[in-house]
Amino acid sequence: MTSMPPRHEPGSPHGTVVVVEDDRNIAELVDLYLRKAGFRVLQAGDAARGLELVAQERPSLVLLDIGLPGPMDGLEACRELRKSSDVPVVMITARGDEVDRILGLELGADDYVTKPFSPRELVARVRAVLRRSGSPRRSADTQSVVGDVTVDTLRREVTIPSGNIALTAREFDLLAHFAENPGIVFTRQQLLDAVWGTGWYGDERTVDVHVRQLRRKLGDALPLATVWGVGYRCD
Ligand code: CA
């Protein structure tokens, strides 16, 4: 997986967001609010154009609607995107479509917003994802080791004996939280509060989805145990 640095254009202090959304009204509203918040915005009406824009423009973030016209929907676009890019992705999902949300996270999306959302909520989500994916949390003592996994929170790099492993922003934050607190049993709610933030309204299965991804990507190198009836522990 490549991690080309996002391109920063003059006049867009927060970088570029590619918005892949076929509903013109929603796209225009999102465009307006993101611009007001200091982002450069590029719109795509279908997945193919969206992927093209991501490849050309190397945005800081992609907003991806799930229901898109044409042969590729947003979930497939996310899967496709993850083959070549670790750009943060926020999915736009329809209310009540929990399967889509969980699938989106499994395919490597970092977060989601549910229609109808307020533009303010959307901007807050975008900022939170960028904050997590971009800025190191501290400068000293940036490496922790759990099992055979080395977590570098400054470089946001994860290494196992076979090499570097690419994680989404949220997967990384969850892993870093375990690595910084070895041996402690966390409930799913505690993990949501610590990693997703107390303003997060998602449900606890989100944690399970991310744990499953960490186990899949890190395999036996990660000593992450399920504590039945309680939650998870890493040591
Ligand atoms: Ca749509």
Side-chain angles (χ1 to χ4, degrees):
M1 211 178 271
T2 57
S3 25
M4 296 276 273
R7 213 178 263 171
H8 281 266
E9 300 290 325
S12 58
H14 303 299
T16 299
V17 176
V18 167
V19 177
V20 190
E21 167 64 83
D22 60 307
D23 184 319
R24 295 296 302 167
N25 293 330
I26 294 178
E28 288 302 330
L29 196 66
V30 165
D31 190 297
L32 177 73
Y33 272 79
L34 286 175
R35 278 177 206 278
K36 270 174 41 183
F39 295 96
R40 173 174 175 251
V41 182
L42 299 168
Q43 291 189 33
D46 60 49
R49 177 68 186 140
L51 292 175
E52 204 176 278
L53 277 178
V54 171
Q56 281 167 9
E57 300 287 337
R58 302 202 306 269
S60 307
L61 186 137
V62 179
L63 261 177
L64 189 54
D65 184 30
I66 287 186
L68 291 170
M72 204 189 295
D73 70 6
L75 291 171
E76 285 170 64
C78 187
R79 194 203 312 267
E80 197 57 36
L81 197 58
R82 280 287 170 258
K83 291 180 185 169
S84 60
S85 170
D86 54 8
V87 62
V89 173
V90 176
M91 308 277 325
I92 302 174
T93 69
R95 178 167 294 288
D97 214 339
E98 190 180 37
V99 173
D100 275 357
R101 285 204 290 276
I102 289 178
L103 199 54
L105 295 173
E106 280 179 342
L107 290 174
D110 295 280
D111 206 346
Y112 59 82
V113 287
T114 302
K115 288 178 187 176
F117 49 82
S118 78
R120 201 163 293 154
E121 177 198 351
L122 178 83
V123 171
R125 280 287 165 85
V126 165
R127 284 198 174 123
V129 169
L130 285 172
R131 206 162 45 235
R132 285 197 305 271
S133 67
S135 53
R137 285 187 292 189
R138 49 170 196 245
S139 54
D141 186 23
T142 63
Q143 282 204 353
S144 331
V145 177
V146 272
D148 288 325
V149 183
T150 303
V151 183
D152 187 324
T153 51
L154 183 62
R155 295 194 167 82
R156 294 186 72 85
E157 274 178 8
V158 176
T159 316
I160 62 175
S162 59
N164 277 13
I165 302 294
L167 298 180
T168 68
R170 201 78 87 162
E171 289 162 9
F172 182 91
D173 289 342
L174 180 62
L175 176 63
H177 187 70
F178 281 126
E180 286 160 6
N181 300 281
I184 296 176
V185 179
F186 291 104
T187 65
R188 290 169 179 79
Q189 188 58 51
Q190 285 170 334
L191 292 169
L192 281 177
D193 290 346
V195 177
W196 279 260
T198 47
W200 169 262
Y201 300 111
D203 73 53
E204 298 188 347
R205 264 168 294 181
T206 303
V207 174
D208 300 330
V209 169
H210 284 73
V211 162
R212 204 148 66 225
Q213 290 293 83
L214 287 178
R215 284 176 169 154
R216 188 178 64 76
K217 291 181 176 180
L218 301 170
D220 293 339
L222 180 68
L224 176 54
T226 302
V227 182
W228 295 107
V230 187
Y232 296 103
R233 184 191 72 226
C234 196
D235 52 13

